[in-house]
Amino acid sequence: MRGWMRDLTDLALPTECGGCGSPPAVLCARCRALLERAEPRRVRPVPEPPGLPAVYAAAPYAREVRALLLAHKERGALALTGALGAALSGAVWAGLGPGRGEAESRAGPVILVPVPSARWAVRRRGHDPVRRMAVVAAGRLRRAGVPARVAGVLRQRRPVVDQAGLDARRRRENLAGALEVRAGGAQLLAGGRIVLVDDLITTGASLAEAARALRAAAGTRWEPDMPVYRGATREGREERQTGPRAQRGKSVHGAPEKGRVNIIGSAVRAAVIAAPRDSFE
């Protein structure tokens, strides 16, 4: 209810642009263009944390883009969700690579997995900004012909301190082992093209920890040039089988499934809206 009220307030009583502060729109034409005309590229923090998946960002984290993200996240400017979610969908699209079109769709839907915020942060803000933007991004991808959905399967398993003010090493220590996949979450990811999503990347500690948690749920660990994990089961997947019943064969509950690939491992990707300017390739 609180989120809907904020949406209505933003639409009925626009005050100033969340990016540059100019009245009267919540997002002026110039700041909207910064997001819409962005060309997502691969980014790499220095130092790059072990296990960090390939990350694509839509725009540099500076000035108006920084202000837009903070307005949406911390000040509840929910009218910005659409534009930010559209920018995120562009980063996801770029990260899917050359085979992102019709041919790769046979690998399964794109599954956007938001990096979770601390519970206290969600309560204080009154909303989950990354999940909101992920829902918009998935909708944009579907309208472009790419099957996509959001799976909020990650959660914090222990408290963490506020990352602000921590250097790269302390951020990694703060987040080490902090995330896990919810019970039953791995089944929701089976057979999909997994893309971790967040609003921005700084040191890469959050995305690296999120990727570690996904791999742990799949029973794999990160290694350079690691092969794709093939341990998916048929459990919870019968409704997704196609073709005549006689051709499906019999399933053994929990038995490894032959011929299907659970893309949890080296194929995990990541997409964010913004990254430090010097991290772009």
Side-chain angles (χ1 to χ4, degrees), residues 200-226:
L200 74 151
I201 180 175
T202 51
T203 66
S206 296
L207 288 169
E209 169 59 18
R212 182 211 59 78
L214 293 179
R215 293 168 185 136
T220 66
R221 64 180 183 178
W222 178 83
E223 295 177 3
D225 303 320
M226 180 178 64

Side-chain angles (χ1 to χ4, degrees), residues 9-206:
T9 300
D10 285 341
L11 290 172
L13 301 171
T15 54
E16 61 184 25
C17 175
C20 64
S22 62
V26 175
L27 180 62
C28 73
R30 187 175 70 86
C31 290
R32 183 182 294 276
L34 287 175
L35 295 174
E36 292 180 347
R37 297 174 185 173
E39 297 183 3
R41 287 183 290 154
R42 176 80 181 270
V43 293
R44 293 178 185 269
V46 178
E48 185 173 343
L52 181 70
V55 185
Y56 282 76
Y61 186 60
R63 301 182 62 180
E64 290 89 347
V65 172
R66 178 180 183 275
L68 289 169
L69 287 174
L70 290 176
H72 179 259
K73 178 190 286 186
E74 304 296 348
R75 298 199 298 277
L78 302 185
L80 297 173
T81 305
L84 293 172
L88 181 61
S89 72
V92 172
W93 178 256
L96 291 176
R100 58 192 167 213
E102 200 171 305
E104 194 184 349
S105 67
R106 290 176 294 184
V110 174
I111 303 176
L112 305 184
V113 179
V115 175
S117 299
R119 295 185 185 93
W120 60 264
V122 174
R123 288 194 299 268
R124 177 176 60 80
R125 293 167 181 153
H127 73 124
D128 186 337
V130 176
R131 184 177 180 87
R132 279 181 177 274
M133 293 184 291
V135 169
V136 171
R140 295 275 299 215
L141 290 167
R142 289 194 298 271
R143 288 193 290 276
V146 179
R149 59 185 172 85
V150 177
V153 299
L154 290 173
R155 68 177 179 184
Q156 289 194 342
R157 59 185 299 185
R158 63 168 177 79
V160 297
V161 302
D162 192 343
Q163 295 275 82
L166 300 181
D167 61 19
R169 179 181 61 82
R170 290 179 178 174
R171 288 190 178 208
R172 290 195 300 270
E173 293 172 351
N174 182 42
L175 292 175
L179 299 181
E180 67 180 358
V181 173
R182 301 175 186 273
Q187 283 73 28
L188 299 177
L189 304 177
R193 293 173 281 169
I194 300 170
V195 183
L196 288 163
V197 293
D198 208 346
D199 55 351
L200 74 151
I201 180 175
T202 51
T203 66
S206 296

Side-chain angles (χ1 to χ4, degrees), residues 232-255:
T233 69
R234 290 190 175 92
E235 183 178 356
R237 298 256 301 280
E238 289 302 312
E239 70 277 12
R240 290 196 287 275
Q241 291 185 348
T242 58
R245 184 177 299 274
Q247 296 177 1
R248 296 181 187 174
K250 295 182 180 180
S251 298
V252 178
H253 182 80

